[in-house]
Amino acid sequence: TVLETEGLVKFLADAETDRILGIHIVGANAGEMIAEGVLAVEYGASSEDVARTSHAHPTLAEAFKEAAMATYGKAIHY
């Protein structure tokens, strides 16, 4: 983690299939999450696929999982 509290991760997913169409990542150390987003898009993952994978706590990657969960109304810390 870093001592920064500002930033966001946002998933854009198809409403019918939940397939990830794009991801916005803004904030300190956002570059650390880009690889996971690229992998998800490249392999045609759904936001639920990403949300069901383990993301350690406390880490920046938790924001990635949380954003994936938010696309289908299951965010915990939103």
PDB file of all heavy atoms in Angstrom, residues 44-69:
ATOM      1  N   GLY A  44     -10.748 -12.149 -22.629  1.00  0.00           N
ATOM      2  CA  GLY A  44     -12.206 -12.060 -22.694  1.00  0.00           C
ATOM      3  C   GLY A  44     -12.894 -12.322 -21.365  1.00  0.00           C
ATOM      4  O   GLY A  44     -14.004 -12.852 -21.333  1.00  0.00           O
ATOM      5  N   ALA A  45     -12.263 -11.929 -20.273  1.00  0.00           N
ATOM      6  CA  ALA A  45     -12.830 -12.167 -18.946  1.00  0.00           C
ATOM      7  C   ALA A  45     -14.059 -11.297 -18.701  1.00  0.00           C
ATOM      8  O   ALA A  45     -14.216 -10.230 -19.286  1.00  0.00           O
ATOM      9  CB  ALA A  45     -11.786 -11.881 -17.878  1.00  0.00           C
ATOM     10  N   SER A  46     -14.901 -11.763 -17.819  1.00  0.00           N
ATOM     11  CA  SER A  46     -16.028 -10.961 -17.355  1.00  0.00           C
ATOM     12  C   SER A  46     -15.613 -10.267 -16.066  1.00  0.00           C
ATOM     13  O   SER A  46     -14.622 -10.646 -15.426  1.00  0.00           O
ATOM     14  CB  SER A  46     -17.244 -11.852 -17.088  1.00  0.00           C
ATOM     15  OG  SER A  46     -17.011 -12.694 -15.972  1.00  0.00           O
ATOM     16  N   SER A  47     -16.364  -9.261 -15.669  1.00  0.00           N
ATOM     17  CA  SER A  47     -16.041  -8.602 -14.404  1.00  0.00           C
ATOM     18  C   SER A  47     -16.209  -9.576 -13.238  1.00  0.00           C
ATOM     19  O   SER A  47     -15.467  -9.518 -12.262  1.00  0.00           O
ATOM     20  CB  SER A  47     -16.891  -7.349 -14.201  1.00  0.00           C
ATOM     21  OG  SER A  47     -18.254  -7.671 -14.169  1.00  0.00           O
ATOM     22  N   GLU A  48     -17.144 -10.498 -13.362  1.00  0.00           N
ATOM     23  CA  GLU A  48     -17.314 -11.510 -12.305  1.00  0.00           C
ATOM     24  C   GLU A  48     -16.099 -12.431 -12.229  1.00  0.00           C
ATOM     25  O   GLU A  48     -15.694 -12.835 -11.138  1.00  0.00           O
ATOM     26  CB  GLU A  48     -18.581 -12.331 -12.529  1.00  0.00           C
ATOM     27  CG  GLU A  48     -18.852 -13.292 -11.396  1.00  0.00           C
ATOM     28  CD  GLU A  48     -20.151 -14.051 -11.524  1.00  0.00           C
ATOM     29  OE1 GLU A  48     -20.879 -13.855 -12.525  1.00  0.00           O
ATOM     30  OE2 GLU A  48     -20.439 -14.850 -10.627  1.00  0.00           O
ATOM     31  N   ASP A  49     -15.490 -12.756 -13.366  1.00  0.00           N
ATOM     32  CA  ASP A  49     -14.261 -13.564 -13.365  1.00  0.00           C
ATOM     33  C   ASP A  49     -13.185 -12.890 -12.513  1.00  0.00           C
ATOM     34  O   ASP A  49     -12.527 -13.538 -11.699  1.00  0.00           O
ATOM     35  CB  ASP A  49     -13.713 -13.757 -14.781  1.00  0.00           C
ATOM     36  CG  ASP A  49     -14.573 -14.632 -15.659  1.00  0.00           C
ATOM     37  OD1 ASP A  49     -15.323 -15.479 -15.127  1.00  0.00           O
ATOM     38  OD2 ASP A  49     -14.495 -14.459 -16.893  1.00  0.00           O
ATOM     39  N   VAL A  50     -13.003 -11.597 -12.716  1.00  0.00           N
ATOM     40  CA  VAL A  50     -11.984 -10.855 -11.964  1.00  0.00           C
ATOM     41  C   VAL A  50     -12.371 -10.782 -10.490  1.00  0.00           C
ATOM     42  O   VAL A  50     -11.541 -10.983  -9.604  1.00  0.00           O
ATOM     43  CB  VAL A  50     -11.790  -9.435 -12.545  1.00  0.00           C
ATOM     44  CG1 VAL A  50     -10.880  -8.603 -11.657  1.00  0.00           C
ATOM     45  CG2 VAL A  50     -11.238  -9.519 -13.959  1.00  0.00           C
ATOM     46  N   ALA A  51     -13.633 -10.519 -10.208  1.00  0.00           N
ATOM     47  CA  ALA A  51     -14.095 -10.392  -8.830  1.00  0.00           C
ATOM     48  C   ALA A  51     -13.938 -11.690  -8.040  1.00  0.00           C
ATOM     49  O   ALA A  51     -13.728 -11.659  -6.833  1.00  0.00           O
ATOM     50  CB  ALA A  51     -15.555  -9.948  -8.812  1.00  0.00           C
ATOM     51  N   ARG A  52     -14.015 -12.824  -8.705  1.00  0.00           N
ATOM     52  CA  ARG A  52     -13.913 -14.111  -8.013  1.00  0.00           C
ATOM     53  C   ARG A  52     -12.473 -14.545  -7.739  1.00  0.00           C
ATOM     54  O   ARG A  52     -12.256 -15.524  -7.041  1.00  0.00           O
ATOM     55  CB  ARG A  52     -14.636 -15.192  -8.803  1.00  0.00           C
ATOM     56  CG  ARG A  52     -16.138 -15.047  -8.761  1.00  0.00           C
ATOM     57  CD  ARG A  52     -16.818 -16.156  -9.569  1.00  0.00           C
ATOM     58  NE  ARG A  52     -18.242 -16.103  -9.406  1.00  0.00           N
ATOM     59  CZ  ARG A  52     -18.918 -16.798  -8.488  1.00  0.00           C
ATOM     60  NH1 ARG A  52     -18.283 -17.578  -7.654  1.00  0.00           N
ATOM     61  NH2 ARG A  52     -20.223 -16.700  -8.419  1.00  0.00           N
ATOM     62  N   THR A  53     -11.494 -13.824  -8.280  1.00  0.00           N
ATOM     63  CA  THR A  53     -10.099 -14.178  -8.022  1.00  0.00           C
ATOM     64  C   THR A  53      -9.624 -13.514  -6.732  1.00  0.00           C
ATOM     65  O   THR A  53     -10.164 -12.509  -6.299  1.00  0.00           O
ATOM     66  CB  THR A  53      -9.176 -13.760  -9.184  1.00  0.00           C
ATOM     67  OG1 THR A  53      -9.245 -12.351  -9.358  1.00  0.00           O
ATOM     68  CG2 THR A  53      -9.569 -14.467 -10.474  1.00  0.00           C
ATOM     69  N   SER A  54      -8.633 -14.100  -6.114  1.00  0.00           N
ATOM     70  CA  SER A  54      -8.106 -13.603  -4.848  1.00  0.00           C
ATOM     71  C   SER A  54      -7.268 -12.346  -5.058  1.00  0.00           C
ATOM     72  O   SER A  54      -6.424 -12.298  -5.947  1.00  0.00           O
ATOM     73  CB  SER A  54      -7.257 -14.696  -4.200  1.00  0.00           C
ATOM     74  OG  SER A  54      -6.719 -14.236  -2.994  1.00  0.00           O
ATOM     75  N   HIS A  55      -7.499 -11.346  -4.247  1.00  0.00           N
ATOM     76  CA  HIS A  55      -6.726 -10.110  -4.239  1.00  0.00           C
ATOM     77  C   HIS A  55      -6.347  -9.844  -2.784  1.00  0.00           C
ATOM     78  O   HIS A  55      -7.222  -9.698  -1.933  1.00  0.00           O
ATOM     79  CB  HIS A  55      -7.537  -8.941  -4.801  1.00  0.00           C
ATOM     80  CG  HIS A  55      -7.804  -9.047  -6.259  1.00  0.00           C
ATOM     81  ND1 HIS A  55      -8.748  -9.899  -6.785  1.00  0.00           N
ATOM     82  CD2 HIS A  55      -7.237  -8.424  -7.306  1.00  0.00           C
ATOM     83  CE1 HIS A  55      -8.747  -9.781  -8.098  1.00  0.00           C
ATOM     84  NE2 HIS A  55      -7.835  -8.888  -8.438  1.00  0.00           N
ATOM     85  N   ALA A  56      -5.060  -9.809  -2.493  1.00  0.00           N
ATOM     86  CA  ALA A  56      -4.572  -9.690  -1.122  1.00  0.00           C
ATOM     87  C   ALA A  56      -5.011  -8.393  -0.453  1.00  0.00           C
ATOM     88  O   ALA A  56      -5.220  -7.382  -1.102  1.00  0.00           O
ATOM     89  CB  ALA A  56      -3.059  -9.786  -1.121  1.00  0.00           C
ATOM     90  N   HIS A  57      -5.113  -8.458   0.872  1.00  0.00           N
ATOM     91  CA  HIS A  57      -5.470  -7.293   1.688  1.00  0.00           C
ATOM     92  C   HIS A  57      -4.348  -7.026   2.673  1.00  0.00           C
ATOM     93  O   HIS A  57      -3.847  -7.966   3.277  1.00  0.00           O
ATOM     94  CB  HIS A  57      -6.759  -7.580   2.445  1.00  0.00           C
ATOM     95  CG  HIS A  57      -7.098  -6.536   3.466  1.00  0.00           C
ATOM     96  ND1 HIS A  57      -7.648  -5.329   3.110  1.00  0.00           N
ATOM     97  CD2 HIS A  57      -6.931  -6.507   4.803  1.00  0.00           C
ATOM     98  CE1 HIS A  57      -7.829  -4.609   4.214  1.00  0.00           C
ATOM     99  NE2 HIS A  57      -7.401  -5.305   5.238  1.00  0.00           N
ATOM    100  N   PRO A  58      -3.922  -5.835   2.868  1.00  0.00           N
ATOM    101  CA  PRO A  58      -4.298  -4.596   2.184  1.00  0.00           C
ATOM    102  C   PRO A  58      -3.361  -4.327   1.012  1.00  0.00           C
ATOM    103  O   PRO A  58      -2.150  -4.276   1.190  1.00  0.00           O
ATOM    104  CB  PRO A  58      -4.127  -3.536   3.258  1.00  0.00           C
ATOM    105  CG  PRO A  58      -2.985  -4.046   4.087  1.00  0.00           C
ATOM    106  CD  PRO A  58      -3.081  -5.562   4.036  1.00  0.00           C
ATOM    107  N   THR A  59      -3.902  -4.197  -0.165  1.00  0.00           N
ATOM    108  CA  THR A  59      -3.112  -3.882  -1.355  1.00  0.00           C
ATOM    109  C   THR A  59      -3.917  -2.991  -2.288  1.00  0.00           C
ATOM    110  O   THR A  59      -5.137  -2.872  -2.161  1.00  0.00           O
ATOM    111  CB  THR A  59      -2.718  -5.153  -2.140  1.00  0.00           C
ATOM    112  OG1 THR A  59      -3.908  -5.777  -2.635  1.00  0.00           O
ATOM    113  CG2 THR A  59      -1.946  -6.141  -1.283  1.00  0.00           C
ATOM    114  N   LEU A  60      -3.235  -2.406  -3.256  1.00  0.00           N
ATOM    115  CA  LEU A  60      -3.919  -1.609  -4.267  1.00  0.00           C
ATOM    116  C   LEU A  60      -4.808  -2.494  -5.138  1.00  0.00           C
ATOM    117  O   LEU A  60      -5.829  -2.051  -5.644  1.00  0.00           O
ATOM    118  CB  LEU A  60      -2.898  -0.880  -5.137  1.00  0.00           C
ATOM    119  CG  LEU A  60      -2.091   0.207  -4.429  1.00  0.00           C
ATOM    120  CD1 LEU A  60      -0.979   0.706  -5.340  1.00  0.00           C
ATOM    121  CD2 LEU A  60      -2.992   1.352  -4.020  1.00  0.00           C
ATOM    122  N   ALA A  61      -4.430  -3.753  -5.308  1.00  0.00           N
ATOM    123  CA  ALA A  61      -5.199  -4.669  -6.146  1.00  0.00           C
ATOM    124  C   ALA A  61      -6.615  -4.868  -5.618  1.00  0.00           C
ATOM    125  O   ALA A  61      -7.513  -5.237  -6.375  1.00  0.00           O
ATOM    126  CB  ALA A  61      -4.485  -6.015  -6.251  1.00  0.00           C
ATOM    127  N   GLU A  62      -6.836  -4.610  -4.358  1.00  0.00           N
ATOM    128  CA  GLU A  62      -8.189  -4.704  -3.808  1.00  0.00           C
ATOM    129  C   GLU A  62      -9.142  -3.746  -4.523  1.00  0.00           C
ATOM    130  O   GLU A  62     -10.318  -4.056  -4.688  1.00  0.00           O
ATOM    131  CB  GLU A  62      -8.201  -4.352  -2.323  1.00  0.00           C
ATOM    132  CG  GLU A  62      -7.783  -5.461  -1.421  1.00  0.00           C
ATOM    133  CD  GLU A  62      -7.943  -5.057   0.019  1.00  0.00           C
ATOM    134  OE1 GLU A  62      -7.197  -4.182   0.473  1.00  0.00           O
ATOM    135  OE2 GLU A  62      -8.840  -5.620   0.671  1.00  0.00           O
ATOM    136  N   ALA A  63      -8.640  -2.599  -4.932  1.00  0.00           N
ATOM    137  CA  ALA A  63      -9.475  -1.636  -5.657  1.00  0.00           C
ATOM    138  C   ALA A  63      -9.919  -2.230  -6.989  1.00  0.00           C
ATOM    139  O   ALA A  63     -11.033  -1.975  -7.456  1.00  0.00           O
ATOM    140  CB  ALA A  63      -8.714  -0.333  -5.886  1.00  0.00           C
ATOM    141  N   PHE A  64      -9.056  -3.025  -7.589  1.00  0.00           N
ATOM    142  CA  PHE A  64      -9.381  -3.684  -8.852  1.00  0.00           C
ATOM    143  C   PHE A  64     -10.534  -4.666  -8.655  1.00  0.00           C
ATOM    144  O   PHE A  64     -11.508  -4.669  -9.394  1.00  0.00           O
ATOM    145  CB  PHE A  64      -8.131  -4.415  -9.368  1.00  0.00           C
ATOM    146  CG  PHE A  64      -8.098  -4.574 -10.846  1.00  0.00           C
ATOM    147  CD1 PHE A  64      -7.717  -3.528 -11.667  1.00  0.00           C
ATOM    148  CD2 PHE A  64      -8.432  -5.776 -11.427  1.00  0.00           C
ATOM    149  CE1 PHE A  64      -7.688  -3.684 -13.037  1.00  0.00           C
ATOM    150  CE2 PHE A  64      -8.406  -5.938 -12.790  1.00  0.00           C
ATOM    151  CZ  PHE A  64      -8.032  -4.879 -13.596  1.00  0.00           C
ATOM    152  N   LYS A  65     -10.439  -5.492  -7.634  1.00  0.00           N
ATOM    153  CA  LYS A  65     -11.501  -6.462  -7.327  1.00  0.00           C
ATOM    154  C   LYS A  65     -12.801  -5.738  -6.979  1.00  0.00           C
ATOM    155  O   LYS A  65     -13.870  -6.115  -7.431  1.00  0.00           O
ATOM    156  CB  LYS A  65     -11.073  -7.366  -6.180  1.00  0.00           C
ATOM    157  CG  LYS A  65     -12.143  -8.354  -5.762  1.00  0.00           C
ATOM    158  CD  LYS A  65     -11.680  -9.246  -4.637  1.00  0.00           C
ATOM    159  CE  LYS A  65     -12.786 -10.211  -4.265  1.00  0.00           C
ATOM    160  NZ  LYS A  65     -12.319 -11.575  -4.192  1.00  0.00           N
ATOM    161  N   GLU A  66     -12.696  -4.691  -6.161  1.00  0.00           N
ATOM    162  CA  GLU A  66     -13.866  -3.934  -5.745  1.00  0.00           C
ATOM    163  C   GLU A  66     -14.593  -3.324  -6.951  1.00  0.00           C
ATOM    164  O   GLU A  66     -15.823  -3.350  -7.032  1.00  0.00           O
ATOM    165  CB  GLU A  66     -13.444  -2.839  -4.771  1.00  0.00           C
ATOM    166  CG  GLU A  66     -14.573  -2.176  -4.057  1.00  0.00           C
ATOM    167  CD  GLU A  66     -15.178  -3.020  -2.956  1.00  0.00           C
ATOM    168  OE1 GLU A  66     -14.579  -4.020  -2.536  1.00  0.00           O
ATOM    169  OE2 GLU A  66     -16.283  -2.665  -2.516  1.00  0.00           O
ATOM    170  N   ALA A  67     -13.833  -2.782  -7.900  1.00  0.00           N
ATOM    171  CA  ALA A  67     -14.435  -2.209  -9.103  1.00  0.00           C
ATOM    172  C   ALA A  67     -15.118  -3.287  -9.932  1.00  0.00           C
ATOM    173  O   ALA A  67     -16.198  -3.063 -10.491  1.00  0.00           O
ATOM    174  CB  ALA A  67     -13.370  -1.496  -9.932  1.00  0.00           C
ATOM    175  N   ALA A  68     -14.506  -4.462 -10.009  1.00  0.00           N
ATOM    176  CA  ALA A  68     -15.131  -5.574 -10.734  1.00  0.00           C
ATOM    177  C   ALA A  68     -16.446  -5.966 -10.072  1.00  0.00           C
ATOM    178  O   ALA A  68     -17.450  -6.191 -10.746  1.00  0.00           O
ATOM    179  CB  ALA A  68     -14.174  -6.765 -10.792  1.00  0.00           C
ATOM    180  N   MET A  69     -16.453  -6.016  -8.752  1.00  0.00           N
ATOM    181  CA  MET A  69     -17.674  -6.362  -8.020  1.00  0.00           C
ATOM    182  C   MET A  69     -18.755  -5.298  -8.192  1.00  0.00           C
ATOM    183  O   MET A  69     -19.943  -5.611  -8.240  1.00  0.00           O
ATOM    184  CB  MET A  69     -17.356  -6.572  -6.539  1.00  0.00           C
ATOM    185  CG  MET A  69     -16.475  -7.783  -6.271  1.00  0.00           C
ATOM    186  SD  MET A  69     -15.876  -7.880  -4.578  1.00  0.00           S
ATOM    187  CE  MET A  69     -17.383  -8.274  -3.711  1.00  0.00           C
TER     188      MET A  69
END
